Amino acid sequence: LEEGARSCLMRFRHRLEDDIKPPYLMDHMVTDGVLTGDEEERIKNQDQAAALLALLLMKDNRAYISFYNAMVQEGYNDLANLLHRDLPLGLPEGLKRSTDCCTPYVQTVLSEGGVPQRPVVFVSRPELVNRVREKLYRLQKEPGWVTVFGMAGSGKSVLAAEAARHHGLIEDCFPGGIHWLSIGQLDKPDLLVKIQSLCFRLEQSLDSHPLHRPPNSLDEAKERLRFLMLRRHPRSLLILDDIWDSTVLKAFDLHCRILFTTRNRSLADSVSGSRYEVEVESGLDENKGLEILALYTKTKLKGLPEEARSIVRECKGSPLVVSLIGALLREKPNRWRYYLGQLQQKQFKRIRKSSSYDYDALDQAMAASIEVLPDEHREFYKDLTVLEKDTKVPAKVLAVLWDLETEEVEDILEEFVNKSLLFVDSHNKPFLYYLHDLQLDFLVEQNRTQLESLHSKVVHQYQQHYKDAHSTSGDEECLYWIRFLTYHMAKANLFQELYSLMFSLDWVSTKAQLMGPAYLINDYVEYGPILDKETRSQFQEFLSLNGHHLEQRPFPDVVQLALSQPRTSEVYKQALLQARDRATTG
Ligand code: ADP
């Protein structure tokens, strides 16, 4: 709260305490999202006026303004006049217009920028959302950072997306657009690839073909991004979801407008410019947790059984865990006591690396949700253990893995989504499916001893399906395979397969054509230690010499390029064979 407003409240405290009737005022304030239901309850059990003022003194400017507006609306004109002089200035106009979150303009902007939609069952957290929006408004006139920090699964990503879902905010502050980038745990080469794809998106959205080849090094990528953000997309917001590492954040230190979510509050210390932060405390407050359960079970808040409150407590307000339980109850509405019992059992207790999150509750909820799956679907769900974090897959990839029709796979995935065991990005056509980090942690933990065979299954199913020729259609499915086949081979310890893939000129050509050379170089760096050193350096040499050619379109003749390698190089030898082959077949 600003000094002036605080002082005003202190000076007139006694008069206010004597004259106001808090219940009506609090109604307005709850509606404005500056007071939570819990706080309202607490105040009702005390000397109401004094308690409300005490609380107000601990709140922010918005609470003061809301209190003032409530006074005006309830006809306390004289008292309101006392407060008026010290009204904090600068409540952004745009934020005063509420209820304009879902205009077609907002939807277009967010969908173009890849901002995720609301989860199917969604509760609003107005106080938090407003806090984030208010910080975003500070970026109206100058670049800077907004950090949204809190524990895993506390709802940061959903909150970040929700904050952006506001007509006035976008119009006033970010008319250049809102661009979402999921980050997660990355190493340097991955980071380069992420920035490349962001640059590609930013260039594409200008309706012009990319003028340049993709940037080749991290420094170059930063420069390109700086140019695109400052020159081509001025006054736009970049949302970086789930940052772990300050080196990653530094790559975006480009004097632009950024909101990022993280578990690590101190990350923003490593970058320059104005910084604001919002903490997402331990998750949902109790009433919001109850609201989620009520929505899942289609009951009124008041009609929830007494176990509901205990369930929310056991979940420690984690929206992810409450959603899992809610989805179970939707199907078995008379199991409140049973699921509460399950949550309390903690039979899966294990020592975890992170102590910052109540994994027990998540374990229990995941185990319970998986248990109600039909046997064969449980096996399918287990197969998802092999996905890399922060990776979204189309149903077709799983159709290959499970040897089913895509439609059948979609039905199975829909079941997982309904149980909150999986999430879907339906902006994208085809839909893309993904797990929350913590769910993947759970699966990896559960299936630790079978990782190798699970990855082998992926590789073998791919080989079965595609026989000798690689997938080259360029659709989402194909891109998944081209990107991750090497990853699965390495995890499956299928080294022979990995060598022959990575040391094949055909593969190099396919991957370069579909994804650009950066991913390829990334592979050689990543799997370098398990590859033959000599041959690996020949391929890397070839790529670094020809990188710029491989980015051109129309795509060059790779055999021709390879023929200019030294004769001793494996790259040359393969090219020669292919050239001869061509000559004989005409
Ligand atoms: P974080 O980014 O902090 O790890 P997320 O934002 O991904 O957490 O939220 C985890 C899950 O919790 C979501 O997938 C969703 O199911 C649920 N969730 C989060 N926020 C809400 C909300 N406001 N309403 C309903 N469910 C939510």
Side-chain angles (χ1 to χ4, degrees):
L1 193 59
E2 251 173 50
E3 196 183 15
R6 172 188 298 279
S7 136
C8 181
L9 279 181
M10 299 292 281
R11 269 180 287 139
F12 301 116
R13 194 167 183 168
H14 294 300
R15 278 186 69 181
L16 289 164
E17 280 178 8
D18 289 342
D19 292 349
I20 59 172
K21 295 221 165 28
Y24 300 111
L25 298 174
M26 290 197 293
D27 279 350
H28 292 289
M29 295 173 71
V30 171
T31 311
D32 285 351
V34 299
L35 203 65
T36 67
D38 284 350
E39 289 167 340
E40 185 185 17
E41 282 306 312
R42 249 184 286 132
I43 289 175
K44 280 189 177 157
N45 297 325
Q46 310 175 34
D47 173 357
Q48 298 195 7
L52 178 59
L53 286 169
L55 186 64
L56 208 49
L57 280 166
M58 297 194 301
K59 297 228 165 216
D60 57 8
N61 291 344
R62 250 173 356 89
Y64 183 93
I65 294 166
S66 164
F67 179 66
Y68 167 82
N69 286 335
M71 302 267 279
V72 173
Q73 285 169 37
E74 291 299 323
Y76 295 106
N77 294 334
D78 294 346
L79 287 173
N81 280 340
L82 293 178
L83 298 183
H84 182 260
R85 235 194 42 213
D86 290 300
L87 267 182
L89 288 176
L91 179 74
E93 265 309 306
L95 277 192
K96 288 188 192 150
R97 306 194 294 273
S98 54
T99 68
D100 60 356
C101 62
C102 303
T103 60
Y105 170 67
V106 173
Q107 289 179 356
T108 313
V109 171
L110 297 193
S111 140
E112 275 174 1
V115 180
Q117 317 91 314
R118 287 179 176 164
V120 184
V121 166
F122 168 79
V123 296
S124 63
R125 303 165 85 178
E127 193 176 14
L128 265 178
V129 174
N130 280 334
R131 225 180 285 160
V132 179
R133 284 184 183 151
E134 217 175 288
K135 302 288 186 239
L136 287 174
Y137 251 98
R138 313 272 176 96
L139 307 184
Q140 183 176 22
K141 294 275 183 312
E142 54 161 17
W145 307 80
V146 176
T147 314
V148 173
F149 68 96
M151 293 184 304
S154 57
K156 299 181 295 295
S157 316
V158 171
L159 178 67
E162 192 57 21
R165 198 169 286 121
H166 191 285
H167 195 108
L169 177 72
I170 300 176
E171 223 169 35
D172 291 357
C173 304
F174 312 113
I178 300 197
H179 312 284
W180 182 280
L181 194 63
S182 305
I183 303 281
Q185 272 170 298
L186 292 180
D187 45 22
K188 266 212 173 118
D190 285 333
L191 177 61
L192 172 59
V193 168
K194 286 267 179 205
I195 302 184
Q196 283 177 330
S197 72
L198 176 64
C199 289
F200 183 73
R201 249 166 55 191
L202 292 172
E203 284 175 349
Q204 246 191 351
S205 66
L206 294 169
D207 285 334
S208 63
H209 284 292
L211 294 171
H212 318 266
R213 58 181 181 75
N216 252 331
S217 67
L218 207 47
D219 282 335
E220 210 182 309
K222 266 178 81 167
E223 279 320 306
R224 178 72 55 80
L225 186 60
R226 182 200 308 277
F227 170 79
L228 284 167
M229 290 297 288
L230 300 185
R231 293 304 170 89
R232 294 300 171 87
H233 295 269
R235 302 193 68 207
S236 63
L237 176 70
L238 188 56
I239 302 184
L240 304 173
D241 188 29
D242 200 17
I243 301 255
W244 286 67
D245 191 341
S246 60
T247 50
V248 172
L249 201 59
K250 280 187 200 144
F252 295 91
D253 195 354
L254 307 169
H255 216 64
C256 51
R257 295 166 167 83
I258 293 185
L259 178 156
F260 69 97
T261 72
T262 181
R263 300 169 199 193
N264 179 355
R265 174 183 203 164
S266 61
L267 285 185
D269 296 345
S270 58
V271 293
S272 55
S274 318
R275 284 166 296 190
Y276 310 94
E277 59 174 32
V278 176
E279 176 173 10
V280 183
E281 301 104 1
S282 51
L284 303 168
D285 70 41
E286 202 161 284
N287 283 333
K288 288 291 163 190
L290 290 175
E291 205 178 318
I292 293 192
L293 291 179
L295 284 169
Y296 268 110
T297 54
K298 301 207 163 58
T299 350
K300 292 242 159 54
L301 218 46
K302 295 229 155 53
L304 288 172
E306 53 177 309
E307 289 88 355
R309 207 167 279 276
S310 315
I311 288 182
V312 173
R313 272 189 209 138
E314 286 296 328
C315 298
K316 302 257 160 67
S318 158
L320 178 60
V321 182
V322 180
S323 300
L324 282 161
I325 299 291
L328 285 169
L329 285 163
R330 173 167 57 195
E331 274 162 49
K332 303 276 184 229
N334 47 13
R335 288 203 176 168
W336 291 87
R337 182 171 297 270
Y338 174 72
Y339 288 130
L340 174 59
Q342 294 240 311
L343 278 175
Q344 287 166 337
Q345 272 176 27
K346 323 250 166 175
Q347 68 205 11
F348 287 83
K349 207 166 226 147
R350 283 185 297 260
I351 297 164
R352 297 281 191 156
K353 272 183 255 147
S354 158
S355 56
S356 66
Y357 181 76
D358 186 8
Y359 283 91
D360 281 340
L362 178 85
D363 280 358
Q364 297 300 327
M366 286 290 288
S369 304
I370 292 173
E371 198 173 299
V372 299
L373 293 174
D375 287 347
E376 72 275 19
H377 290 190
R378 205 175 306 149
E379 287 301 306
F380 289 145
Y381 193 68
K382 189 203 255 181
D383 285 335
L384 302 181
T385 310
V386 300
L387 294 180
E388 201 167 25
K389 278 198 173 169
D390 305 298
T391 304
K392 299 181 173 181
V393 291
K396 266 174 134 183
V397 167
L398 300 169
V400 171
L401 177 58
W402 296 335
D403 205 8
L404 295 174
E405 295 296 326
T406 309
E407 289 77 5
E408 289 174 279
V409 172
E410 284 167 351
D411 292 344
I412 297 169
L413 296 180
E414 191 180 305
E415 183 188 356
F416 295 161
V417 169
N418 284 337
K419 294 203 155 53
S420 299
L421 282 168
L422 185 70
F423 299 95
V424 58
D425 174 355
S426 48
H427 271 331
N428 202 81
K429 297 285 173 305
F431 289 180
L432 298 177
Y433 299 87
Y434 59 99
L435 292 161
H436 190 278
D437 263 21
L438 294 176
Q439 294 176 314
L440 205 50
D441 285 345
F442 172 88
L443 282 174
V444 170
E445 187 73 33
Q446 282 254 304
N447 305 313
R448 192 163 282 296
T449 57
Q450 300 164 60
L451 293 179
E452 194 176 315
S453 67
L454 289 169
H455 282 282
S456 295
K457 178 176 170 190
V458 182
V459 175
H460 290 137
Q461 286 299 113
Y462 173 83
Q463 288 171 337
Q464 194 73 34
H465 197 268
Y466 283 98
K467 300 284 184 319
D468 318 307
H470 289 294
S471 159
T472 51
S473 63
D475 65 8
E476 294 276 0
E477 185 221 338
C478 159
L479 292 180
Y480 179 87
W481 293 118
I482 303 296
R483 165 106 195 260
F484 289 107
L485 192 55
T486 45
Y487 162 77
H488 292 301
M489 285 176 171
K491 290 277 178 189
N493 289 332
L494 292 171
F495 296 139
Q496 208 49 54
E497 267 90 346
L498 187 66
Y499 302 153
S500 34
L501 193 66
M502 291 187 59
F503 295 153
S504 137
L505 194 57
D506 278 338
W507 172 257
V508 167
S509 162
T510 307
K511 190 154 181 164
Q513 179 162 12
L514 291 167
M515 321 203 82
Y519 280 98
L520 268 173
I521 296 172
N522 194 1
D523 282 350
Y524 288 104
V525 174
E526 178 117 24
Y527 307 119
I530 48 176
L531 295 172
D532 174 62
K533 210 166 149 202
E534 184 68 29
T535 324
R536 171 172 79 107
S537 64
Q538 292 164 357
F539 273 83
Q540 267 181 296
E541 171 100 356
F542 171 65
L543 287 171
S544 55
L545 281 175
N546 291 288
H548 56 291
H549 293 303
L550 297 175
E551 277 146 0
Q552 266 150 23
R553 299 292 177 273
F555 194 65
D557 184 344
V558 172
V559 172
Q560 284 304 323
L561 291 179
L563 283 174
S564 53
Q565 291 295 291
R567 284 167 181 253
T568 49
S569 163
E570 178 62 26
V571 179
Y572 173 83
K573 290 179 194 159
Q574 286 190 27
L576 190 63
L577 283 181
Q578 292 201 20
R580 287 198 181 132
D581 217 31
R582 280 184 196 172
T584 52
T585 55

